Every structure is written in structure tokens, then in C-alpha cells.
Amino acid sequence: VQLQASGGGLVQAGGSLRLSCEASRRTNNYAPMAWFRQAPGKEREFVSVIDTWNGNTYYADSVKGRFTMSRDKAKNTVYLEMNSLKPEDTAVYYCATRNGRINTSSMNRAEQYAYWGQGTQVTVSS
């Protein structure tokens, strides 16, 4: 599976961006699709995930209430709508997926994902 992320850019604090991630094909067996981010000098961290089995979404506490993840099954694409952006949201954002479903409790762990997009830079100025 190849993932193509897009939509990043430079925005002022309080602004909005929408990221997209298109998969080259539908993943197998209801694999989750997730967003992670990595800021300079920091570890890659979980942002959000959609459980394609039931459509449920889960978010990191730091983005809950501000970010919304959604999907278009027909287009094999997931989206991350980011509102009320803060300077601390500045990072490279990566989408990820895998083959097969996993427990909900494991969906926020980067090591569970085998396929990664190239990343898209999000910069929030203060």
C-alpha cells in the first residue's frame, strides 16, 4: 500500500488546515488508518486513528475537540480537519496503515503500522 499525504502548509495560530491521505488501494481486513506527527527533536507521536471496522475515531488528548478525522471509502482517502491550531501543533504529519485489524488499545502505537506516507509539513505561527 502506498500512502500520499497532502494539505500541509503555514497558518497563523487559531487557523485551520485539512490534511488528506490517499491510499493506493483499500487495505485488508479492516486495517486502521492513523495520523502521527513529529516535531523537530521530538519523538513521533500519535494524533488520531479511524477504526475502519466500525468508523470509530480516537484522538490524542492534545488535539481532542480541535481535530476531526474522517474518511471517504470510495476514494480510499482519510482526512484530518485541524481547527484552532496552536504553535505546538507544528510538525511533519504522517498517515499510516497496516494489514489487518488490531485491538483498539494498540491503534495509537507507531510500531503497529507497516505503511507510512511521506509526511506533510504543518507550521503554525504565533
Side-chain angles (χ1 to χ4, degrees):
V1 178
Q2 291 183 325
L3 302 174
Q4 181 70 39
S6 61
L10 173 64
V11 64
Q12 288 188 330
S16 300
L17 284 173
R18 188 176 83 151
L19 306 184
S20 300
C21 177
E22 181 178 2
S24 58
R25 60 172 175 82
R26 185 169 293 180
T27 54
N28 298 325
N29 299 326
Y30 298 103
M33 292 193 73
W35 288 98
F36 289 79
R37 66 186 182 186
Q38 188 166 18
K42 294 189 176 181
E43 298 277 324
R44 188 168 297 191
E45 66 173 359
F46 168 75
V47 175
S48 66
V49 63
I50 187 163
D51 184 344
T52 61
W53 171 264
N54 52 24
N56 286 348
T57 52
Y58 305 93
Y59 300 92
D61 288 343
S62 59
V63 307
K64 205 171 291 184
R66 300 187 298 121
F67 290 10
T68 302
M69 189 172 180
S70 61
R71 63 172 170 162
D72 184 329
K73 287 190 285 186
K75 296 181 179 180
N76 294 332
T77 299
V78 294
Y79 304 95
L80 185 67
E81 185 75 34
M82 305 186 296
N83 297 316
S84 302
L85 282 162
K86 304 175 181 179
E88 51 264 43
D89 294 318
T90 295
V92 178
Y93 284 70
Y94 299 91
C95 55
T97 192
R98 52 170 285 127
N99 288 319
R101 192 163 182 258
I102 53 175
N103 291 335
T104 303
S105 60
S106 297
M107 290 183 182
N108 63 349
R109 295 166 58 182
E111 63 268 25
Q112 295 291 335
Y113 295 87
Y115 305 105
W116 292 82
Q118 83 285 7
T120 185
Q121 176 71 46
V122 172
T123 303
V124 185
S125 63
S126 57

